[in-house]
Amino acid sequence: MNALLDKPGIIHPGARPLLDEVTAAPELPVRVTVVAPGGHGKTHLLGLLGRHYADAGVDAMLVDDADQLGDDEIAKIKALAEETTAPIVLAFRPAARTTTLRALADSFGRSVALGAFGVDDVRRLVEHAGGDAATAEDVHARTGGVPGLVLRAVTGRLADFRGELEQLDDDVHRYLIAAEAGAGRNLDLLAALLNRDREGLPEVFDGARATGLLGEDDVLLPIAAEAVRGWGSPGRRLTVLQRLVELQLRDGLPVLDLARSLLGTGSSGASAAAAFEAAAREAMPDDTKLAARFYEAASEAGGRGAALTVGWAHAAALAGDLDTALRLGDGMLGGTSDTDARAAGAEVAATVLAHRGELAHSAELYQWSGRAGSKAFAAIALLGTGNLEAARGVLETPEVPTLFAGAASRTARAITGSVSGCGAETLSALLGAASMLESAGAPAPLPDSPAALAALVGLHSGELALAESVLSRAVAGRIGGDLLAKRHRLLLGWVAMTAGDLKTAAESLMPPDGLEARDELFAATLQLGLARRASDLPGLQRSWDRAYQASMRQQPDLYSLLPLGELAIAAARGGASAKLAGQLERAHAVLDSLGNPPLWTATLRWHELHAAITIEDHASAGEHLAALNAFAPCGRYPAALADAATCWLAVLTGSFDPEAITAAASELHELGLGWDASRLAGQAAIRTSDRKAMVQLLEAARQFQGRAPEPVAATGLSALSERELEVARLVVDGLTYKQAGSKLFISGKTVEHHMARIRGKLGAGDRRELLAMLRELLPAGEPQG
């Protein structure tokens, strides 16, 4: 392996002057010491010097590891140096000089120090080893440029560390294990571990530096940390780590970093269990997944007790591992006489059931639990199922006035108030609750967050900017831990989709694996909604099954009306309205029991209106329009929906005022409903016989989509290329893409691409709209090419 160091340009910079001198005049009576920690090339340098002297026929004394010599041997070398002119070179580590060796080295008067390689030296070494020079900086960072460590890194011979670690002084080895575990700077802890006073530690530190495994800052180099973890004695490492943890626990000090090193070692017993449990409590505020791992390790190490189980259940829930959380919660409910533990078990089980769409059962368990915030969460769940009086009754009992309980109570009261009158104050109250919870943290798993509920209210009331803002804060603050992270992200996707920002919305899509029932419903219908808005018929068909199955896995509630509305429109387009009828009936039963609150009902009616329009169910469309008109006095948003609904029905009859359409669409756009606004204007454009109105409505539709308007000439065709006109005429005549392609000597896929570009240029929302627009634009009897 050291042969790599013989390559041109690789010789250690500190060694080159001595080598040049010996090569030029090998007969000179050289007296020199070579001093460097382990792995810096002392042995290799002596080998090179030996070859030079041998070639020159000079009898030289080259002594490696001189620090291992006894006083008698050193005295013999001193005597030889005084009696002969033969070259003498001694190599040793800097921290291991005895008094006798120090005196001999001082008498030589000349010393060569070998330091670490720079990045350029490492790059040349990597290249000579056949590696990628681009990795040189990484190798240098990993090894500190220590030549021996660089060689091991590039050749992969890390197993060589095993023997070297076993040969270390016991205190030095224990220090290296402690340093790898993060205790290398804790002098009191190290003194207790090594049974020394603080004045005795420098000797150990010097010994550790002499190994060459520490960087310039005395921190263990990354490759050395790997060696200590992977190639040292597992038993010795485990013994040292357990002792460190015991010392920290004894003094009541943090154990998180040390306990992290114990994970996966098989450590067991009372002290290990206590360490893991203490580490779990430390990890909880910042890393619930790590906390759950520690609690599990504590249990496996033999830890018992209600506090451990409660902590583990909370950590698992906050980390999103709801199967484990429910198992532990249910176990506490039925397997302990500890009242507090049973209450905690009920709380955890209730949280899991809320995420799985079982609000009624969740409410029962929350009421039984009685822990901080449980009454508020029970009220939220009860209201979600339509049980208003029970929700109000639960809220009559005051809770302990902590910040957490206060945030939960404020959320519950805001949601309960949302079904009274127009619910005008709901969003403001929920935003305040969200802010309060940010200050309080989350000491317990949440069934839902004030931010998520505020976002739902924002989506139901046209306050998309506020919905996005409160969700973004929740994501940044990790409110609710991993448990609610997916919900917040999905709702951000819904906000973006509602606003017509389909690209951003698509970035929030999630696969079904790992999603609980409620999140799966929102994820599946978000995918469905994006396919519908992109006029992606195959995508719509693929998404339908997932979304429909997700809807069947939970009962409709107040907080799932948005995905249900999206499903209703997709069902109508796919001829599956009958399959969804029961779900819609149950949703309306919940709304009926709450008095059909405008805040929650208007958006569902808006979606159902579009479903009715799709299947040309004029009676149902009229019913939904009447409901929307009844909600109109409750504010700008329901009034805008009512006006737009009126315009939609007028568009379908073909008798409408383009100015009214533009005004209604503009109002939708100002409320953030860009896609709906564009759709209304675009549909009106293709149904008017007034060419001027058509051009104005098409331009408005493009603007509402966030796209710059393109002028449309009197014929409406100036935006299209000659080839696009040829394709459009053939498709309008009823030819399939394949047939049109055959006529034009291009593939059917190319025809499809042309049609997609045409749709974009004309601002059509889907293929049906595009064909209607082209029939208007292409004069009858136009030549077919």
Side-chain angles (χ1 to χ4, degrees):
M1 181 169 68
N2 281 345
L4 283 171
L5 295 175
D6 295 337
K7 299 293 184 181
I10 301 299
I11 301 300
H12 198 295
R16 184 168 294 284
L18 179 60
L19 286 170
D20 291 343
E21 180 181 329
V22 169
T23 302
E27 71 284 354
L28 290 178
V30 170
R31 301 287 187 273
V32 65
T33 58
V34 178
V35 185
H40 280 67
K42 300 185 300 296
T43 301
H44 179 251
L45 174 57
L46 291 182
L48 293 176
L49 291 172
R51 290 203 293 272
H52 283 299
Y53 281 125
D55 291 344
V58 174
D59 187 14
M61 174 177 281
L62 308 175
V63 182
D64 201 2
D65 295 326
D67 46 279
Q68 304 297 317
L69 301 179
D71 287 348
D72 290 344
E73 293 169 300
I74 293 174
K76 292 177 181 179
I77 297 173
K78 181 179 180 183
L80 182 63
E82 293 171 348
E83 297 170 359
T84 181
T85 60
I88 301 176
V89 181
L90 304 181
F92 52 84
R93 296 185 178 189
R97 285 180 284 181
T98 63
T99 302
T100 307
L101 179 58
R102 186 179 301 111
L104 177 59
D106 290 345
S107 71
F108 280 14
R110 180 180 179 188
S111 180
V112 172
L114 301 180
F117 279 176
V119 175
D120 290 339
D121 298 313
V122 171
R123 182 175 291 107
R124 285 191 289 271
L125 191 58
V126 170
E127 289 173 343
H128 282 301
D132 182 0
T135 67
E137 289 189 9
D138 291 336
V139 172
H140 186 271
R142 187 178 171 211
T143 64
V146 175
L149 300 183
V150 173
L151 289 171
R152 287 191 183 167
V154 299
T155 59
R157 294 181 58 177
L158 301 185
D160 291 347
F161 281 113
R162 189 190 303 277
E164 292 179 9
L165 290 172
E166 289 299 322
Q167 294 172 12
L168 290 176
D169 172 79
D170 187 58
D171 278 358
V172 170
H173 194 172
R174 286 192 290 165
Y175 166 74
L176 293 177
I177 294 171
E180 187 277 326
R185 303 291 181 119
N186 190 328
L187 300 184
D188 292 331
L189 185 58
L190 290 171
L193 171 70
L194 302 175
N195 295 316
R196 294 170 177 252
D197 56 28
R198 293 181 62 157
E199 286 69 26
L201 292 177
E203 180 183 352
V204 179
F205 298 157
D206 287 344
R209 293 188 194 100
T211 65
L213 300 178
L214 303 184
E216 293 181 356
D217 54 1
D218 281 348
V219 173
L220 203 61
L221 292 167
I223 194 171
E226 294 173 34
V228 171
R229 282 194 302 272
W231 298 103
S233 165
R236 176 181 287 186
R237 180 169 180 264
L238 181 57
T239 300
V240 171
L241 292 176
Q242 285 192 318
R243 179 59 178 156
L244 288 169
V245 167
E246 288 169 1
L247 291 169
Q248 286 291 85
L249 284 175
R250 181 195 68 185
D251 296 335
L253 297 173
V255 297
L256 177 59
D257 290 336
L258 293 173
R260 197 193 307 264
S261 296
L262 275 177
L263 283 173
T265 63
S267 181
S268 62
S271 64
F276 286 136
E277 189 171 354
R281 290 193 294 270
E282 290 179 43
M284 272 290 281
D286 301 314
D287 192 339
T288 54
K289 288 183 179 178
L290 180 60
R293 285 182 62 200
F294 276 127
Y295 276 121
E296 183 176 12
S299 178
E300 291 174 349
R304 297 291 181 267
L308 188 155
T309 308
V310 170
W312 187 4
H314 279 181
L318 285 166
D321 182 4
L322 297 194
D323 287 338
T324 297
L326 186 58
R327 172 175 59 80
L328 294 169
D330 193 58
M332 287 187 283
L333 268 171
T336 179
S337 58
D338 186 314
T339 303
D340 289 340
R342 293 181 69 190
E347 173 197 47
V348 169
T351 302
V352 174
L353 291 172
H355 283 264
R356 292 182 170 174
E358 299 287 345
L359 289 188
H361 195 183
S362 174
E364 291 177 11
L365 287 169
Y366 271 127
Q367 290 182 84
W368 189 89
S369 168
R371 287 170 66 89
S374 290
K375 290 185 175 64
F377 297 143
I380 293 169
L382 286 166
L383 189 77
T385 61
N387 200 337
L388 176 58
E389 291 309 312
R392 286 173 173 164
V394 168
L395 289 175
E396 288 177 359
T397 306
E399 296 212 52
V400 179
T402 64
L403 271 178
F404 176 75
S409 178
R410 190 169 180 180
T411 302
R413 295 183 187 283
I415 285 294
T416 304
S418 72
V419 300
S420 300
C422 295
E425 302 301 320
T426 301
L427 185 54
S428 175
L430 287 173
L431 292 174
S435 179
M436 185 183 296
L437 188 63
E438 289 173 12
S439 302
L446 298 170
D448 212 342
S449 71
L453 292 171
L456 286 177
V457 170
L459 283 161
H460 277 274
S461 58
E463 293 286 0
L464 301 188
L466 285 175
E468 180 182 11
S469 174
V470 71
L471 287 170
S472 296
R473 287 177 62 91
V475 169
R478 294 188 51 76
I479 300 302
D482 293 317
L483 178 61
L484 282 167
K486 292 176 182 176
R487 179 156 174 79
H488 293 150
R489 178 180 159 191
L490 285 168
L491 287 173
L492 275 170
W494 266 85
V495 171
M497 180 178 72
T498 303
D501 184 357
L502 306 190
K503 182 177 181 296
T504 299
E507 293 170 357
S508 301
L509 288 175
M510 298 180 189
D513 295 341
L515 293 179
E516 296 299 333
R518 183 177 65 187
D519 288 343
E520 167 62 1
L521 178 60
F522 275 84
T525 49
L526 174 61
Q527 187 177 47
L528 187 72
L530 289 173
R532 177 171 73 86
R533 286 162 176 78
S535 301
D536 178 6
L537 185 57
L540 194 66
Q541 292 169 339
R542 287 193 303 269
S543 303
W544 163 258
D545 284 341
R546 177 188 173 189
Y548 175 68
Q549 291 174 23
S551 75
M552 295 301 289
R553 282 195 283 270
Q554 69 173 75
Q555 291 294 312
D557 58 54
L558 189 65
Y559 315 120
S560 63
L561 297 176
L562 287 172
L564 189 59
E566 189 61 48
L567 266 168
I569 298 174
R573 293 192 64 171
S577 294
K579 296 181 70 173
L580 207 64
Q583 294 283 73
L584 288 168
E585 286 178 9
R586 287 187 286 275
H588 277 290
V590 170
L591 291 169
D592 289 344
S593 67
L594 297 173
N596 285 301
L599 176 64
W600 297 98
T601 313
T603 301
L604 180 61
R605 289 287 191 175
W606 170 253
H607 286 141
E608 289 179 299
L609 171 81
H610 284 278
I613 289 172
T614 299
I615 59 175
E616 299 183 1
D617 183 349
H618 299 292
S620 294
E623 177 188 334
H624 298 311
L625 175 59
L628 288 169
N629 282 328
F631 300 143
C634 268
R636 182 182 178 186
Y637 181 73
L641 295 186
D643 285 347
T646 301
C647 287
W648 263 109
L649 294 184
V651 166
L652 294 179
T653 64
S655 176
F656 58 86
D657 177 3
E659 295 297 330
I661 300 295
T662 301
S666 295
E667 183 69 353
L668 290 177
H669 184 258
E670 288 185 18
L671 286 165
L673 306 184
W675 189 86
D676 290 272
S678 176
R679 177 80 170 158
L680 174 57
Q683 287 293 313
I686 66 173
R687 285 173 170 80
T688 181
S689 58
D690 184 333
R691 297 280 183 174
K692 181 179 179 181
M694 180 195 70
V695 170
Q696 292 174 342
L697 287 167
L698 282 175
E699 290 185 356
R702 295 181 65 84
Q703 288 178 324
F704 296 148
Q705 280 184 315
R707 299 166 62 186
E710 293 183 10
V712 182
T715 62
L717 304 175
S718 62
L720 307 185
S721 69
E722 183 177 348
R723 174 61 87 181
E724 287 167 346
L725 283 171
E726 291 175 332
V727 168
R729 288 170 183 138
L730 292 172
V731 172
V732 166
D733 280 351
L735 274 66
T736 66
Y737 290 168
K738 184 177 181 181
Q739 292 167 338
S742 296
K743 278 186 169 288
L744 297 173
F745 302 103
I746 58 178
S747 70
K749 181 61 74 174
T750 301
V751 172
E752 183 180 353
H753 291 324
H754 279 305
M755 290 297 289
R757 283 196 294 271
I758 294 168
R759 194 183 84 190
K761 289 182 177 182
L762 297 182
D766 55 27
R767 187 174 185 275
R768 178 174 170 273
E769 181 180 330
L770 175 61
L771 289 176
M773 188 181 298
L774 288 173
R775 290 188 186 102
E776 290 284 340
L777 293 172
L778 289 168
E782 185 82 16
Q784 301 304 305

